[in-house]
Amino acid sequence: FDLRMGSDPQLEGDLAGLSDLAGSMLLSGTKSRSKDQLDNEIDYIGANLNADKNSIFLSCLTKHIDKGLELMSDVLLNASFPQSEFDRIKKQNESALLSTKSDAASMAKNATVKINFPAHPYGEVMTEASLNAIKLNDIENYFKATFSPKGAYLSIVGDITRAEAEK
């Protein structure tokens, strides 16, 4: 199950990296499940549940579709964005930015996207300044604006009939 949001990429400017940070936080827990509970339930059914800045993806055995979709729906409808997870993910990004400064391939990639996509969302690169400018409230607002039914579509592939998928 691959749920894609219909939102176009937006320039983030001083908040470059906001969408990536928001995507990283989607699986940080819901109103009824902590991150650990969510991870344990996903692992228990042997599923793969991933999220990024504009999509949520679920892969599981056919016999676990109901539970898998319950978890996927909970993430989509009840994401909680806890402050502790925001702080943890922000720290991870700080470390990644620090290591980028000493990695020639990463520096070249960043320069390439800036040159190839000037004044376009694909050309924006997270910096220390933009990361420090992003607040938890920005993540929540991004999620509300992006993860909406408008233009969204769900692709289903696997051992499932059309009738089961429509249900």
Side-chain angles (χ1 to χ4, degrees):
F1 296 86
D2 190 5
L3 178 63
R4 298 279 167 173
M5 300 300 118
S7 59
D8 292 330
Q10 302 291 318
L11 281 170
E12 296 174 345
D14 292 341
L15 300 178
L18 170 64
S19 57
D20 291 322
L21 213 59
S24 297
M25 286 206 59
L26 268 176
L27 295 176
S28 293
T30 69
K31 293 174 184 166
S32 61
R33 292 176 171 96
S34 69
K35 178 179 178 12
D36 289 341
Q37 288 171 318
L38 186 61
D39 289 345
N40 287 338
E41 288 187 55
I42 293 165
D43 289 346
Y44 185 76
I45 63 170
N48 181 8
L49 183 62
N50 293 312
D52 65 20
K53 60 185 160 189
N54 67 351
S55 67
I56 300 177
F57 173 83
L58 168 70
S59 176
C60 65
L61 294 173
T62 304
K63 67 182 181 179
H64 296 302
I65 284 176
D66 290 340
K67 182 64 174 180
L69 287 174
E70 174 193 326
L71 295 170
M72 183 179 182
S73 297
D74 194 25
V75 168
L76 176 65
L77 301 173
N78 302 306
S80 64
F81 306 109
Q83 182 69 47
S84 61
E85 285 298 307
F86 175 71
D87 295 339
R88 181 185 66 79
I89 290 171
K90 203 166 177 180
K91 282 262 189 244
Q92 284 179 337
N93 279 272
E94 287 171 359
S95 296
L97 286 172
L98 187 61
S99 68
T100 297
K101 290 180 178 181
S102 61
D103 180 38
S106 296
M107 289 188 292
K109 178 184 172 216
N110 289 345
T112 301
V113 297
K114 284 182 173 194
I115 291 168
N116 287 338
F117 301 102
H120 189 278
Y122 293 165
E124 291 188 309
V125 175
M126 182 190 294
T127 64
E128 290 174 9
S130 67
L131 178 61
N132 288 329
I134 298 170
K135 306 296 179 224
L136 184 56
N137 178 289
D138 298 318
I139 301 284
E140 293 166 342
N141 291 336
Y142 173 85
F143 177 77
K144 288 175 189 169
T146 304
F147 284 77
S148 73
K150 184 178 180 184
Y153 60 93
L154 178 66
S155 301
I156 303 172
V157 177
D159 184 21
I160 185 171
T161 66
R162 181 180 178 123
E164 291 168 331
E166 288 175 353
K167 177 183 160 196

